[in-house]
C-alpha cells in the first residue's frame, strides 16, 4: 500500500487529494488532503470517485484506426502514420484552410492540453480553430479585454474577505465554482454569512446555492443585463458611486444607463423595481462587496454585455482590485498570456457566416456551417482534443451529421463516444494517475495565490503514450515533419523561445542570464515538467519545480493583493467603462425592452455528481438525482396537460424527456441538464441511462455577437404531452 498526493483534475476547485494505492496500482481510497493549505481536506463525491474514474474498464487503452469502416485497435506507430496520411491527403487536395481543430474543456485541466493546444493549432495553419471557450466563458474574456485591455485579466471574487456577495447565473454549491477557484465553495459561503456578510442569489431556479443564501430572487432567463443596468442606473442616479481606480467613459455610461431605470427593467426581468433599488443600495453600502456571474449569464444572447455590467458595478462601488472586492490573482508561473498591448478581435472572419475571430478562435456555433457548406475553404478534416461537441455544442445533432461527411477526423480522447465514433483515428491518453498535473489556467483564478504540482502516481506501460507525446506528435505531423519526428524537439523549441524572451526582458527574473545555463539548470521527468520549471523560474515568486516537488501538499502564496496597475493595458490606460462595442450592443438591449417574451423558455443546469458529458460512466455516481429530467413548475405541468414525460420542441429539434415537477423553478421556465443523450458509446454504464441531448434544442444560429458565444439559456420551447411508452 502506498500513499500519493495529487490535485483533482476534474473541475475548477483544484482540491488536493490523498490517495492510497494497492501494489497493483489500483486506487483503494481517496480522501481530501488535510495538509493542503488551500483545500484543507475538502473533496466532493466526484473527487472521492477518482479511483473509479481512473480505472474505468471502458477507457480505451490502445489507439483505434478505421479499417474497412470499422474502428480497430492498432499500435501507436500505425496510428500516427494513419494520422499523417489522413491529414496529408486532405491538405494536398484542399489546402490548410480545410483543416479544423476543436479543443474541449479538459484541455484547460491537463498539462498537455494547456501547453500544446497553441502549438497544435498553429501548426495546422488554419483559421478554423474552435474551443469550448465559445460555449462557455468567452464573453468574460471579451468584457475584460474591453475594460482592462487584457482578456485574461479576469477579476476573481475575494471570497474569504468580502462582506456581500451577489451571485447571478452560477450555482457553485453544485458546480464547485468556475473562473473562481475555491475548494469547498459552500464552506466559504457559510463562512461569509457567519462573519456577518450577506449572500444574494439571482437565478430562475432556487438552487442549492440559493438555498444557503440570505435572499434568492427569481429572474426571467436571459434578462440579467437589464437587472444589472437597473443597478447601475440606481448607483448613478442616487450618487452611490465611489470609484477608486482610473476610469474613462463615466459620462457615456450615465447616458446609457438612463434608459434602464428600475421601473423600466422590472417587468422584463421579473425582479421587482424595489428589489433592484435595494440591491444597488446594499452593494454600495456594504464595507466590501462583489458581483459574481458565470455560465448562466455567459451562455446567453447578451453574454458580453452582462459580464461587462458585472464589473462596471464592481468598479462603481469601489470594489475592483481591493481586498473583499474582486481581485487579480498572481500565479507562480510567468503570465505568458499577457502581451501588454491593448486587446483586439475580429482580425479575421469565419468563411460562412462572417463571424469575427476572438482570441484566435471562431465560434463553435459555426463549426457545422464550416463543415457542411461547400466552397473554397470548406472544412474537410477535423482534429478534436478532449471534446464531445456532439453533446456540448448548440444544435449538436446537426454537428454530428456534419462529422459523418468529413474526409478525415482524428480525436485525442479516452473514450469512444458520440463525437469520437465519427473519427478515423482515436488516440487515447493514459490514465489520470499516469499523468503529471499542474493547473496552469485555473491557478490564474484562485481566491488565494496558491500553487501545487502533482507528479504522475504510476508509470506508463510500454504500450502507452503520454498525452504530451500524443499532442507533440500531432503537432509535428500537422507541421509536415511526419509521424517519426522526435517529439522532444518541440519542447526544446518552446523552451528556447521562453528562455530567450526571459533573458531579454528587463523585468524578468532571468534578465541578462546565459540561455544555455538557464536551460541546463532546468529539471523535470518529461517535457511538460521541464516547461513548468522554466515558467516557474520566469515567474515572480522565485520558485522552481524542485520547490513544488518538496511541497507535495501545495504552497500558499498569500491573500490576493491589489495589482490592477500592473495589468491595465487599454489604450487610455484607464478602465474603459463605455467601450464602443458595448455602447452599440446596449442599443440592441434597449430595443428588446419592447418585445414580448416567449411563453416558455429552456435553461440548463449542472448536477453535483456529473461533469459535462463524460462522467456518466461512473457507477458510484450514477442514478438518484443524477438523471436527465426536465425540471418544471407544477403549474406548467397542469397548464400544458402533461403527465410523466413531455415532448419539448424548439426551432431546432425535439426531445421526449421525463418530468421532474418542482416548485424550485419559475413558472414559464424549464431546465434540462446538458451532456446527456448517450449513444454509440463504449461507456457501458452511461449507455444504460442515456438521457436526451439538451443541445438538440439549442440553436446554433443565435449567438452573443460580441464574443461569438453560444446561447444555452432562454431558448423558446413548446411543451406537449407525450403518451408513448416512457423513456428510461
Ligand atoms: N457538478 C458539476 N460541476 C461542474 C460541471 C458539471 O457539469 N457538473 N461543469 C464544469 C464547467 S465546464 C463549468 S463551466 C462550471 C460552471 O459552473 P456554474 O457557472 O456555477 O454553472 P451552473 O451550475 O450551470 O450554474 C448556472 C446557473 O445559471 C442559472 N441560469 C440559467 N439561465 C440563467 C439566466 O438567464 N440568468 C441567471 N441569473 N441564471 C441563469 C441556472 O439555473 C444555474 O443554476 O461548472 C464546472 N463544474
Ligand atoms: N446546453 C448546454 N450545453 C453546454 C453547457 C451548458 O451549460 N448547457 N455548458 C458548456 C460548457 S461550460 C462546456 S465547458 C462545454 C464542454 O464541452 P466539451 O469539452 O466539448 O465536452 P465535455 O463533455 O467536457 O467533453 C470532454 C471530452 O474529453 C474527454 N476527456 C476527459 N478527460 C480527458 C483527458 O485527460 N484527455 C483527453 N484528451 N480527453 C479527455 C472526455 O472523454 C470527453 O470526450 O459544454 C458546453 N455545453
Ligand atoms: S470539487 Fe472539483 S476538484 Fe474538488 S474533488 Fe470535486 S471534482 Fe475534484
Ligand atoms: Mo465549462
Amino acid at each position: 500500500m502506498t500513499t500519493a498526493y495529487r490535485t483533482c483534475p476534474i473541475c475548477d476547485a483544484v482540491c488536493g487529494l490523498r490517495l492510497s494505492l494497492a501494489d497493483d496500482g489500483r486506487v483503494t481510497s481517496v480522501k481530501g488532503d488535510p495538509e493542503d493549505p488551500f483545500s484543507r481536506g475538502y473533496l466532493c463525491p466526484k473527487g472521492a470517485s477518482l479511483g473509479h474514474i481512473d480505472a474505468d474498464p471502458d477507457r480505451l487503452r490502445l489507439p483505434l484506426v478505421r479499417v474497412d469502416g470499422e474502428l480497430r485497435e492498432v499500435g501507436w506507430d500505425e496510428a500516427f502514420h494513419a494520422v499523417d496520411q489522413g491529414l496529408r491527403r486532405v491538405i494536398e487536395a484542399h489546402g490548410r484552410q480545410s483543416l479544423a481543430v476543436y479543443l474541449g474543456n479538459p484541455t484547460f485541466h491537463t498539462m498537455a492540453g494547456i501547453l500544446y493546444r497553441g502549438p497544435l493549432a498553429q501548426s495546422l495553419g488554419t483559421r478554423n480553430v474552435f474551443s469550448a471557450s465559445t460555449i462557455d466563458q468567452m464573453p468574460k474574456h471579451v468584457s475584460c479585454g474591453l475594460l482592462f485591455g487584457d482578456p485574461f485579466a479576469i477579476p476573481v471574487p475575494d471570497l474569504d474577505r468580502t462582506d456581500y456577495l451577489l451571485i447571478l447565473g452560477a450555482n457553485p454549491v453544485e458546480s464547485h465554482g468556475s473562473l473562481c477557484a475555491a475548494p469547498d465553495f459552500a464552506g466559504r459561503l457559510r463562512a461569509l454569512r457567519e462573519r456577518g456578510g450577506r449572500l444574494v442569489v439571482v437565478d430562475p431556479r432556487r438552487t442549492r446555492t440559493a438555498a444557503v443564501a440570505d435572499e434568492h430572487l427569481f429572474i426571467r432567463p436571459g434578462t440579467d443585463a437589464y437587472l444589472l443596468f437597473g443597478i447601475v442606473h440606481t448607483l448613478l442616479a442616487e450618487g452611490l458611486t465611489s470609484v477608486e481606480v482610473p476610469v474613462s467613459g463615466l459620462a457615456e455610461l450615465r447616458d446609457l444607463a438612463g434608459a434602464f431605470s428600475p421601473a423600466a427593467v422590472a417587468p422584463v426581468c421579473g425582479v421587482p423595481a424595489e428589489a433592484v433599488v435595494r440591491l444597488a443600495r446594499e452593494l454600495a453600502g456594504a464595507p466590501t462587496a462583489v458581483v459574481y456571474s458565470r455560465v448562466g449569464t455567459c451562455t446567453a444572447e447578451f453574454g458580453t454585455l452582462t459580464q461587462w455590467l458585472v464589473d462596471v458595478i464592481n468598479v462603481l462601488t469601489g470594489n475592483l482590485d481591493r481586498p473583499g472586492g474582486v481581485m487579480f490573482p498572481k500565479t507562480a508561473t510567468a503570465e505568458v498570456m499577457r502581451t501588454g498591448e491593448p486587446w483586439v478581435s475580429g482580425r479575421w472572419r469565419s468563411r460562412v457566416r462572417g463571424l469575427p475571430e476572438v482570441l484566435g478562435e471562431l465560434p463553435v456555433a459555426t463549426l457545422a456551417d464550416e463543415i457542411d457548406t461547400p466552397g473554397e475553404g470548406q472544412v474537410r478534416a477535423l482534429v478534436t482534443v478532449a471534446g464531445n461537441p456532439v453533446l456540448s455544442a448548440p444544435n449538436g445533432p446537426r454537428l454530428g451529421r456534419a462529422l459523418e461527411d468529413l474526409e478525415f477526423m482524428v480525436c485525442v480522447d479516452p473514450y469512444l463516444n458520440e463525437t469520437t465514433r465519427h473519427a478515423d483515428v482515436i488516440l487515447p491518453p493514459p490514465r489520470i494517475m499516469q499523468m503529471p498535473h499542474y493547473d496552469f489556467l485555473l491557478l490564474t483564478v484562485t481566491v488565494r495565490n496558491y500553487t501545487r504540482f502533482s507528479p504522475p502516481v504510476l508509470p506508463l506501460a510500454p504500450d502507452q503514450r503520454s498525452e504530451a507525446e500524443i499532442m507533440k506528435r500531432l503537432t509535428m505531423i500537422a507541421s509536415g515533419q511526419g509521424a517519426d519526428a522526435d517529439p522532444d524537439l518541440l519542447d526544446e523549441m518552446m523552451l528556447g523561445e521562453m528562455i530567450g524572451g526571459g533573458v531579454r526582458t528587463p523585468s524578468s527574473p532571468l534578465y541578462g542570464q546565459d540561455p544555455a545555463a538557464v536551460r541546463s539548470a532546468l529539471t523535470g521527468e518529461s517535457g511538460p515538467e521541464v516547461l513548468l520549471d522554466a515558467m516557474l523560474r520566469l515567474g515572480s515568486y522565485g520558485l522552481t519545480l524542485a520547490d513544488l516537488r518538496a511541497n507535495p501538499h501545495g504552497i500558499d502564496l498569500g491573500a490576493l493583493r491589489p495589482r490592477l496597475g500592473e495589468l491595465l493595458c487599454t489604450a487610455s490606460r484607464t478602465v474603459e467603462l463605455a467601450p464602443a462595442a458595448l455602447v452599440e450592443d446596449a442599443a440592441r438591449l434597449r430595443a428588446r425592452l419592447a418585445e414580448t417574451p416567449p411563453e416558455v423558455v429552456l435553461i440548463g443546469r449542472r448536477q453535483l455528481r456529473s461533469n459535462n458529458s463524460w462522467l456518466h460512466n461512473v457507477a458510484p455516481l450514477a442514478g438518484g438525482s443524477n438523471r436527465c429530467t426536465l425540471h418544471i413548475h407544477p403549474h406548467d405541468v397542469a397548464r400544458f396537460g402533461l403527465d410523466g414525460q413531455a415532448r419539448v420542441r424548439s426551432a431546432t429539434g425535439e426531445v421526449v424527456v421525463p418530468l421532474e415537477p418542482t416548485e424550485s423553478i419559475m413558472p414559464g421556465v424549464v431546465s434540462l441538464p446538458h451532456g446527456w443523450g448517450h449513444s454509440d458509446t463504449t461507456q457501458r454504464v452511461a449507455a444504460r441511462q442515456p438521457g436526451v441531448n439538451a443541445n438538440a434544442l439549442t440553436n446554433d444560429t443565435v449567438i452573443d455577437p460580441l464574443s461569438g458565444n453560444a446561447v444555452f439559456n432562454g431558448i423558446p420551447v413548446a411543451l406537449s404531452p407525450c403518451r408513448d411508452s416512457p423513456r428510461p
Side-chain angles (χ1 to χ4, degrees):
M1 205 62 116
T2 52
T3 302
Y5 297 94
R6 72 179 287 122
T7 302
C8 177
I10 305 292
C11 85
D12 294 20
V14 300
C15 300
L17 304 178
R18 184 172 69 191
L19 312 168
S20 303
L21 289 99
D23 293 339
D24 62 3
R26 250 177 333 106
V27 177
T28 52
S29 102
V30 184
K31 296 266 178 345
D33 177 0
E35 291 172 81
D36 183 305
F38 194 35
S39 61
R40 296 178 298 212
Y42 177 81
L43 90 173
C44 83
K46 285 183 288 184
S49 298
L50 201 65
H52 289 267
I53 299 169
D54 179 60
D56 186 347
D58 295 343
R59 285 176 81 100
L60 303 176
R61 195 184 148 83
L62 290 173
L64 301 182
V65 170
R66 195 172 294 279
V67 184
D68 301 329
E70 300 265 316
L71 284 166
R72 299 210 188 125
E73 271 190 3
V74 299
W76 286 93
D77 287 345
E78 192 177 335
F80 287 122
H81 279 275
V83 176
D84 189 32
Q85 280 164 17
L87 286 182
R88 211 180 277 273
R89 215 172 351 101
V90 174
I91 294 169
E92 278 166 13
H94 311 288
R96 285 188 175 266
Q97 294 310 318
S98 71
L99 307 178
V101 60
Y102 172 77
L103 303 157
N105 169 280
T107 62
F108 297 125
H109 296 258
T110 63
M111 291 184 85
I114 292 282
L115 289 170
Y116 305 113
R117 46 188 274 143
L120 173 60
Q122 226 176 1
S123 73
L124 287 165
T126 175
R127 291 178 166 181
N128 296 307
V129 177
F130 301 85
S131 92
S133 292
T134 55
I135 49 179
D136 187 344
Q137 82 288 357
M138 196 59 103
K140 191 75 192 173
H141 290 303
V142 173
S143 149
C144 293
L146 293 170
L147 278 163
F148 313 124
D150 180 351
F152 295 98
I154 293 178
V156 171
D158 188 7
L159 204 52
D160 298 341
R161 290 186 288 185
T162 194
D163 297 290
Y164 187 102
L165 177 59
L166 171 61
I167 298 183
L168 308 104
N171 182 13
V173 171
E174 293 193 71
S175 70
H176 301 111
S178 180
L179 295 186
C180 176
D184 192 14
F185 210 118
R188 291 173 198 261
L189 293 180
R190 253 192 328 273
L192 159 71
R193 295 191 59 206
E194 279 163 10
R195 64 177 178 265
R198 184 171 170 81
L199 172 64
V200 180
V201 172
V202 175
D203 198 300
R205 300 185 305 124
R206 195 179 321 109
T207 59
R208 289 196 198 190
T209 307
V212 302
D214 294 279
E215 181 179 5
H216 167 233
L217 292 159
F218 280 123
I219 186 166
R220 194 168 287 140
T223 66
D224 297 79
Y226 293 105
L227 169 63
L228 295 172
F229 247 136
I231 292 175
V232 170
H233 180 103
T234 308
L235 291 173
L236 293 169
E238 297 191 358
L240 297 174
T241 59
S242 57
V243 178
E244 311 277 349
V245 293
V247 298
S248 53
L250 199 51
E252 288 112 300
L253 180 70
R254 189 181 294 276
D255 282 351
L256 278 183
F260 300 98
S261 67
V265 301
V268 187
C269 50
V271 177
E274 311 79 72
V276 180
V277 172
R278 185 169 47 78
L279 287 178
R281 290 177 186 163
E282 286 176 6
L283 282 163
T288 62
V290 168
V291 185
Y292 167 67
S293 174
R294 263 305 278 133
V295 150
T297 60
C298 271
T299 56
E301 257 193 276
F302 292 96
T304 303
L305 206 57
T306 307
Q307 302 317 307
W308 164 70
L309 288 164
V310 162
D311 284 320
V312 164
I313 295 173
N314 288 326
V315 170
L316 294 181
T317 55
N319 283 300
L320 179 75
D321 200 38
R322 78 154 171 197
V326 289
M327 304 190 78
F328 302 96
K330 191 170 181 105
T331 54
T333 50
E335 292 172 320
V336 289
M337 313 283 246
R338 294 203 61 215
T339 64
E341 298 293 317
W343 169 76
V344 289
S345 68
R347 293 167 296 175
W348 56 86
R349 288 183 174 264
S350 68
R351 178 182 66 103
V352 179
R353 280 158 64 185
L355 301 175
E357 154 278 337
V358 178
L359 298 183
E361 297 182 19
L362 296 172
V364 172
T366 197
L367 174 55
D369 300 316
E370 294 297 330
I371 300 174
D372 68 18
T373 312
E376 179 74 29
Q378 180 183 8
V379 168
R380 300 283 69 213
L382 176 67
V383 181
T384 74
V385 183
N388 192 359
V390 171
L391 297 190
S392 59
N395 201 353
R398 173 187 172 200
L399 182 60
R401 288 190 296 277
L403 297 182
E404 274 175 36
D405 292 335
L406 287 170
E407 291 174 26
F408 184 72
M409 177 168 169
V410 51
C411 302
V412 183
D413 204 287
Y415 289 109
L416 181 64
N417 64 23
E418 301 73 23
T419 295
T420 62
R421 73 186 179 90
H422 298 286
D424 299 287
V425 181
I426 305 179
L427 304 169
R431 287 166 54 180
I432 294 168
M433 296 303 152
Q434 296 172 310
M435 307 199 204
H437 188 81
Y438 188 82
D439 284 299
F440 287 105
L441 203 71
L442 301 176
L443 296 181
T444 68
V445 291
T446 45
V447 300
R448 282 184 75 83
N449 292 318
Y450 161 83
T451 184
R452 174 169 173 150
F453 167 70
S454 318
V457 175
L458 298 169
L460 293 175
D463 63 352
Q464 289 178 298
R465 295 293 177 270
S466 69
E467 183 148 27
E469 178 175 342
I470 297 171
M471 292 293 282
K472 287 187 274 184
R473 285 202 183 273
L474 283 181
T475 303
M476 301 191 89
I477 289 170
S479 67
Q481 296 175 76
D484 300 316
D486 177 4
D488 295 342
L489 292 177
L490 180 62
D491 293 323
E492 291 308 324
M493 209 181 78
M494 291 166 70
L495 286 166
E497 275 174 24
M498 242 180 237
I499 296 168
V503 301
R504 283 193 304 272
T505 307
S507 59
S508 166
L510 298 185
Y511 181 60
Q513 295 189 25
D514 169 27
V518 174
R519 171 65 190 92
S520 66
L522 297 177
T523 65
E525 305 290 314
S526 61
E529 292 182 24
V530 180
L531 285 160
L532 169 60
D533 196 16
M535 285 164 78
L536 288 165
R537 289 165 195 253
L538 285 160
S540 49
Y541 292 90
L543 291 166
T544 65
L545 184 63
D547 298 322
L548 269 53
R549 280 184 182 278
N551 290 276
H553 309 291
I555 304 172
D556 180 36
L557 300 171
L560 304 183
R561 286 180 288 273
R563 61 180 304 233
L564 178 67
E566 291 168 56
L567 298 171
L568 195 60
C569 60
T570 51
S572 63
R573 302 284 148 174
T574 62
V575 175
E576 295 187 356
L577 295 179
L582 291 165
V583 171
E584 204 177 295
D585 211 36
R588 188 171 67 99
L589 185 76
R590 202 166 49 235
R592 283 285 178 88
L593 267 172
E595 283 180 21
T596 319
E599 193 179 17
V600 184
V601 293
L602 174 75
I603 62 170
R605 70 176 184 273
R606 277 175 165 71
Q607 296 166 296
L608 185 67
R609 287 176 295 127
S610 165
N611 195 55
N612 298 335
S613 76
W614 65 282
L615 284 196
H616 296 139
N617 208 44
V618 189
L621 299 177
S625 64
N626 196 8
R627 288 186 311 130
C628 182
T629 59
L630 190 76
H631 281 187
I632 180 169
H633 195 278
H635 289 171
D636 288 328
V637 175
R639 178 156 72 121
F640 296 104
L642 308 176
D643 183 23
Q645 61 181 5
R647 193 179 299 281
V648 187
R649 199 175 291 130
S650 74
T652 320
E654 177 181 305
V655 300
V656 173
V657 60
L659 301 179
E660 193 174 335
T662 167
E663 288 183 355
S664 66
I665 193 162
M666 279 174 93
V669 181
V670 291
S671 162
L672 195 57
H674 72 285
W676 297 89
H678 299 293
S679 61
D680 301 301
T681 170
T682 45
Q683 294 190 322
R684 287 170 292 180
V685 178
R688 282 201 289 275
Q689 228 176 47
V692 298
N693 185 353
N695 285 315
L697 299 170
T698 55
N699 190 337
D700 52 344
T701 67
V702 184
I703 54 169
D704 167 41
L706 292 179
S707 64
N709 209 82
V711 176
F712 295 133
N713 292 309
I715 312 294
V717 291
L719 305 174
S720 56
C722 174
R723 315 271 176 233
D724 304 348
S725 56
R727 299 287 167 106

